[in-house]
């Protein structure tokens, strides 16, 4: 039998855990369960009654190409994320060494990630507007013939949004890589200097293996971010000119078309896609580590 002291400790632990668990259930578990329930209904978000339609919403989404065609836009954000990783990793390695003005360059990388999405969108809306800062820069460089409506040309607008995403999010990756590099024991570098290792050999044999976990985690974040891109296309273009993403399409289905049941099923589908991709990446990374 449990002693009085053990019972008292168990009671105190239960009391302290009650509020956090209540918050998790209220704002985490219950909304997810409600979302799944709504996905099997036809509901406009206002009516007190919800019509049960079974898997009709899922069948419509999975059989209508227009719903999944927008996933192609996620590839632009995925490629921009790869560019972001390469740039952040290169400068994290470069600025980890002692060099003049490195604090200025570190602040320059981190600063964009501190600005709110709305401010970034308004800044680049002015920068890429006709006759704006970017067109003026091209004119000064003698490339005035290449100016165009960067946020209105369907052939260029997704690449423009991808470039903005690189500028904004590179600082987050830079912080992760720079912090991981600082955690590598300095003895490894001293031993490499004794062995006469070159800069590239230090990167390949010391830095990259030392931050491999951070690289894997950041790549997962990149994949999830590419699938769930929402903020920039919403504020800058409102999904026009072929910039709609799956998450933005979900929001429009719910609040513009008043089809909350179908929007809920879209949210469930994108959540399942993210979970599957994350599980596959975990399995792949585990297989590589086992080898």
């Amino acid at each position: 039998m449990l002693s009085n002291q053990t019972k008292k400790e168990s009671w105190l632990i239960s009391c302290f855990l009650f509020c956090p668990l209540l918050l998790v259930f209220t704002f985490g578990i219950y909304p997810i369960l409600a979302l799944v329930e709504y996905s099997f209904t036809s509901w406009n978000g206002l009516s007190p009654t919800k019509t049960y339609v079974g898997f009709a919403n899922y069948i419509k989404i999975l059989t209508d190409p227009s719903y999944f065609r927008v996933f192609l836009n996620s590839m632009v954000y995925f490629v921009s994320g790869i560019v972001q990783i390469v740039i952040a990793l290169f400068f994290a390695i470069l600025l980890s060494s002692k060099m003049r003005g490195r604090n200025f360059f570190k602040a320059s990388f981190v600063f964009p990630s501190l600005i709110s999405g709305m401010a970034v969108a308004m800044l680049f809306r002015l920068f890429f507007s006709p006759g704006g800062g970017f067109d003026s820069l091209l004119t000064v460089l003698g490339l005035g013939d290449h100016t165009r409506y960067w946020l209105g040309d369907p052939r260029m607008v997704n690449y423009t949004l991808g470039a903005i995403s690189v500028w904004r999010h590179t600082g987050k990756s830079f912080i992760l890589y720079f912090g991981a590099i600082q955690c590598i024991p300095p003895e490894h570098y001293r031993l490499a200097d004794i062995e006469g290792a070159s800069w590239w050999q230090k990167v390949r044999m010391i830095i990259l293996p030392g931050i491999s976990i951070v690289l894997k985690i950041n790549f997962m974040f990149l994949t999830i971010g590419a699938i769930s891109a929402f903020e920039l296309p919403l504020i800058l273009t409102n999904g026009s000119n072929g910039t709609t993403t799956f998450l933005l399409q979900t929001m429009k289905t719910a609040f513009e078309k008043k089809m909350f049941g179908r929007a809920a099923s879209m949210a469930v589908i994108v959540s399942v896609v993210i979970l599957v991709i994350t599980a596959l990446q975990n399995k792949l990374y585990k297989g590589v580590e086992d080898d």
Side-chain angles (χ1 to χ4, degrees):
M1 296 181 63
L2 295 175
S3 63
N4 292 334
Q5 181 67 23
T6 304
K7 290 181 180 180
K8 185 177 180 180
E9 291 177 354
S10 301
W11 184 82
L12 287 174
I13 293 173
S14 301
C15 290
F16 279 113
L17 288 177
F18 176 76
C19 289
L21 291 176
L22 180 63
L23 291 174
V24 169
F25 179 80
T26 304
F27 298 103
I29 298 176
Y30 175 74
I32 294 174
L33 297 177
L35 184 71
V36 175
E37 179 189 359
Y38 295 155
S39 69
F40 293 104
T41 66
S42 177
W43 183 44
N44 62 5
L46 299 174
S47 174
T49 60
K50 306 176 184 68
T51 305
Y52 179 78
V53 296
F55 288 93
N57 289 324
Y58 291 96
I59 294 173
K60 175 64 177 178
I61 295 169
L62 296 175
T63 56
D64 190 342
S66 63
Y67 283 98
F68 272 88
R69 193 179 298 124
V70 294
F71 268 117
L72 295 176
N73 293 336
S74 298
M75 291 303 299
V76 175
Y77 294 97
F78 183 80
V79 173
S80 70
I82 297 294
V83 174
Q84 162 196 320
I85 286 177
V86 173
I87 295 175
L89 181 59
F90 174 77
F91 282 99
I93 295 173
L94 187 64
L95 296 176
S96 294
S97 58
K98 293 182 179 180
M99 57 178 296
R100 183 176 299 177
R102 68 172 185 166
N103 289 332
F104 169 78
F105 289 109
K106 285 190 290 185
S108 300
F109 276 103
V110 175
F111 177 72
S113 62
L114 303 178
I115 307 175
S116 68
M118 178 63 73
V120 170
M122 297 306 297
L123 172 67
F124 279 99
R125 175 176 289 180
L126 295 174
F127 184 68
F128 284 113
S129 63
F134 191 63
D135 286 351
S136 301
L137 178 62
L138 292 178
T139 302
V140 170
L141 297 176
L143 301 174
D145 295 337
H146 297 279
T147 59
R148 62 188 67 198
Y149 189 11
W150 300 101
L151 295 176
D153 188 346
R155 296 170 299 177
M156 293 298 301
V157 61
N158 279 312
Y159 301 111
T160 303
L161 295 179
I164 297 172
S165 179
V166 171
W167 181 84
R168 186 188 178 199
H169 296 294
T170 298
K172 298 177 182 176
S173 297
F174 173 82
I175 293 173
L176 291 174
Y177 298 147
F178 187 82
I181 292 173
Q182 298 304 304
C183 294
I184 298 176
E187 292 79 9
H188 295 180
Y189 297 107
R190 297 194 191 102
L191 182 59
D193 291 333
I194 294 174
E195 296 292 335
S198 63
W199 179 83
W200 170 244
Q201 288 174 326
K202 292 179 183 177
V203 171
R204 186 167 59 90
M205 304 302 295
I206 299 176
I207 295 179
L208 292 181
I211 64 172
S212 59
I213 295 178
V214 177
L215 285 169
K216 295 171 185 176
I217 293 174
N218 198 39
F219 191 78
M220 287 185 182
F221 288 160
L222 158 66
T223 306
I224 296 173
I227 296 174
S228 58
F230 174 78
E231 194 175 37
L232 287 178
L234 171 65
I235 300 174
L236 285 171
T237 63
N238 196 29
S240 60
N241 300 316
T243 60
T244 301
T245 61
F246 195 79
L247 216 60
L248 180 55
Q249 189 180 50
T250 301
M251 187 272 292
K252 288 179 174 290
T253 301
F255 297 102
E256 292 184 5
K257 298 180 180 180
K258 303 300 181 182
M259 302 169 66
F260 275 75
R262 186 168 298 175
S265 61
M266 294 172 68
V268 172
I269 288 174
V270 76
S271 300
V272 170
V273 169
I274 291 174
L275 288 175
V276 170
I277 292 177
T278 303
L280 290 175
Q281 287 180 334
N282 282 329
K283 186 174 181 180
L284 177 64
Y285 294 152
K286 185 177 180 181
V288 173
E289 290 174 357
D290 292 340
D291 293 340

